[in-house]
Amino acid sequence: MKFLHCVLDEKFIAGIYEIIEKTGTGEHEFICFNQFHQSVRYLTGPLAEKVRIFTSRRKFRKRLLSADYDVLFIHSLKAVDLKILPQIPSQIKVWWSSWGYDIYSNSQIWKNSSDLAPCRRFAPLTAALNAQRGFSLKKALKNLIMQCGFLLLSPERFFMSRKQFEKAVARIDYCSTVLPAEFEDLKKNPFFKAEFMSFTVPPPQWVCDNIRVQRAPTDKRNVLVGQAAAPAMNHLDAFELLRGKLPENADVIVPLSYGNKEYANIVERKGCELFGPHMQGLRKFMPLQEYMDLLYSCNSAIFYSYRQQALGNINLLLAFGKKVFLPRESCTWRFFREKGVRIFSLEEISAEELSTPLSKEEVENNRQHLTDYDFAAMIQTFQKNYEIIKNEVKHF
């Protein structure tokens, strides 16, 4: 059985390729459409030889519409032109692995799904900031230029009606979501007919192995705030919760290398204003090992996001035995609480909680509930899924 994987030029692809390669399941081909002809950022080194990159829309479509494979595996809806899906030969199974943002950024999906629809994305201070930023001629012109470029390079995706979207999603046979609740919410849409298929977007194996290595205890009480320069992380509101509660000699570590540069500047200025030399705004990308060491130096982390976001960072922090604070309204908070993980709400932020580490029992309990970093378990899950699909393809 042959899989055709449609991927993006993203950091997660290395882990995905590694785990699928080790499953010993059939034949796997990886392709990527670079629609804006940008310099490749992550599909470099060994991956450059494994992933075929298309810059021609016509050739990319031709590859997808060929019938020489059995399963089309879409790693995020952003990895493929959705209008192509209804044209995929009927004997080919289509598997969509959602990354989260490809759900939340498609408002069509959420029309009949009120539970997880991010109707409240911004906390008060961030909402006020967004209102202040408002309209500017410079931003409007920049946005217009971007939209025109997108229209010229990708007219099919720019003009997509709700009916076309529903028809594309209806062609999907299997779907994997980051959180089970997201799949349940998608099912509320009558055009969504996919079966659930478990698949975790994995980190490289060395990351999984590294987090299980016994590290020297640290007495640092640094606090991580967010994981990207995204307003949905509500940094200003998180800073307000931290005001006057930061442990002595602790730093506030704020990753800002990924996301909106203008917003990152505002967040960094406000952080310096409130915390002075203890504010660390990370503006450059760091090697993964260095970033993991930085996470380990934290005692706590605050993710003030109402929707599912930063799950990779959260899992790493929990595996390292750190405290994680989330809004009670978020589906992520509910997910971990239902699993039995010791997670904290924003209301529990205090100088004492930020200064006190988790007990050994709490750390061990959290680690037992984390399966996203069990590489062997992820391989077994994919092998089981492979057998299920293989039987269905055989009986088609």
Side-chain angles (χ1 to χ4, degrees):
M1 189 163 67
K2 181 175 180 178
F3 283 71
L4 181 64
H5 297 261
C6 287
V7 301
L8 296 166
D9 181 22
E10 287 285 353
K11 57 188 175 183
F12 305 110
I13 303 306
I16 291 172
Y17 182 86
E18 184 179 13
I19 197 167
I20 289 176
E21 187 182 47
K22 293 183 177 181
T23 60
T25 52
E27 184 182 349
H28 297 271
E29 177 186 347
F30 287 74
I31 62 174
C32 174
F33 178 48
N34 185 358
Q35 64 177 344
F36 295 115
H37 300 260
Q38 297 172 324
S39 299
V40 174
R41 187 171 194 173
Y42 297 102
L43 301 180
T44 58
L47 276 179
E49 302 175 4
K50 309 294 185 182
V51 182
R52 183 182 177 189
I53 298 177
F54 288 81
T55 55
S56 166
R57 178 173 297 279
R58 181 183 61 82
K59 291 181 179 179
F60 184 69
R61 289 173 62 92
K62 184 178 179 181
R63 180 69 195 95
L64 288 174
L65 294 175
S66 66
D68 63 343
Y69 60 94
D70 303 292
V71 181
L72 176 63
F73 199 150
I74 305 169
H75 298 269
S76 166
L77 287 183
K78 305 295 183 181
V80 65
D81 185 344
L82 293 180
K83 286 185 179 180
I84 298 178
L85 292 189
Q87 303 173 44
I88 300 296
S90 59
Q91 73 272 20
I92 294 174
K93 296 294 184 180
V94 179
W95 182 355
W96 164 35
S97 172
S98 169
W99 290 8
Y101 76 90
D102 54 345
I103 294 178
Y104 292 96
S105 63
N106 284 291
S107 58
Q108 298 101 319
I109 290 182
W110 299 106
K111 189 170 184 179
N112 298 317
S113 306
S114 58
D115 290 350
L116 298 180
C119 53
R120 182 188 175 192
R121 292 183 61 194
F122 305 115
L125 295 179
T126 303
L129 172 64
N130 288 338
Q132 290 172 10
R133 291 169 71 190
F135 174 84
S136 75
L137 182 60
K138 182 179 178 182
K139 280 169 49 178
L141 287 173
K142 183 179 179 181
N143 185 58
L144 179 61
I145 291 170
M146 289 178 63
Q147 294 295 334
C148 288
F150 188 75
L151 174 60
L152 289 171
L153 290 169
S154 186
E156 297 95 338
R157 297 185 74 169
F158 194 85
F159 295 112
M160 189 173 194
S161 68
R162 175 174 177 80
K163 187 176 181 180
Q164 289 172 319
F165 184 90
E166 292 181 359
K167 189 176 180 181
V169 173
R171 179 61 184 85
I172 297 170
D173 299 291
Y174 312 106
C175 176
S176 305
T177 54
V178 179
L179 301 181
E182 291 171 327
F183 181 82
E184 293 303 314
D185 217 44
L186 288 172
K187 283 169 56 179
K188 296 175 183 177
N189 295 276
F191 60 89
F192 181 80
K193 304 172 183 178
E195 299 175 27
F196 181 75
M197 191 69 74
S198 179
F199 181 77
T200 301
V201 178
Q205 184 173 4
W206 71 265
V207 175
C208 299
D209 296 339
N210 188 279
I211 65 172
R212 300 181 185 283
V213 174
Q214 190 67 34
R215 290 171 175 252
T218 176
D219 58 355
K220 293 182 179 179
R221 295 292 178 261
N222 296 335
V223 180
L224 183 81
V225 176
Q227 47 58 270
M233 272 291 163
N234 294 299
H235 291 84
L236 302 191
D237 300 85
F239 288 167
E240 190 61 28
L241 292 175
L242 271 177
R243 188 200 289 262
K245 301 170 186 173
L246 194 65
E248 188 177 357
N249 297 322
D251 290 333
V252 179
I253 298 174
V254 189
L256 297 170
S257 59
Y258 193 78
N260 185 290
K261 185 176 179 181
E262 178 191 356
Y263 176 74
N265 292 337
I266 294 172
V267 169
E268 189 165 29
R269 283 198 301 270
K270 188 62 177 180
C272 290
E273 175 189 318
L274 291 174
F275 308 113
H278 293 291
M279 167 68 184
Q280 284 191 39
L282 308 180
R283 302 302 294 266
K284 295 182 180 180
F285 285 95
M286 303 171 65
L288 187 52
Q289 181 61 64
E290 188 177 338
Y291 183 67
M292 290 172 65
D293 292 339
L294 190 68
L295 292 184
Y296 193 75
S297 75
C298 299
N299 182 60
S300 311
I302 301 173
F303 296 99
Y304 203 147
S305 175
Y306 292 109
R307 73 170 181 83
Q308 181 269 112
Q309 214 168 355
L311 211 64
N313 281 264
I314 293 172
N315 279 321
L316 269 177
L317 288 157
L318 291 172
F320 285 153
K322 311 303 180 180
K323 290 183 175 179
V324 175
F325 296 84
L326 301 168
R328 284 181 182 271
E329 304 94 320
S330 74
C331 54
T332 310
W333 185 85
R334 295 197 301 272
F335 168 72
F336 281 114
R337 292 286 289 192
E338 289 169 3
K339 286 184 70 172
V341 173
R342 179 64 173 108
I343 207 87
F344 295 80
S345 68
L346 298 180
E347 291 78 11
E348 294 177 271
I349 293 177
S350 66
E352 182 178 358
E353 285 292 359
L354 295 174
S355 301
T356 309
L358 290 174
S359 67
K360 290 182 178 180
E361 291 75 19
E362 288 173 323
V363 171
E364 186 56 37
N365 171 72
N366 285 354
R367 286 176 177 165
Q368 287 179 358
H369 287 91
L370 296 177
T371 57
D372 289 354
Y373 289 92
D374 187 334
F375 210 75
M378 287 187 280
I379 289 175
Q380 290 177 359
T381 298
F382 189 87
Q383 289 170 335
K384 289 179 182 177
N385 293 338
Y386 175 85
E387 291 301 323
I388 292 172
I389 298 174
K390 184 178 178 181
N391 288 331
E392 294 191 6
V393 169
K394 187 185 301 182
H395 292 97
F396 185 84

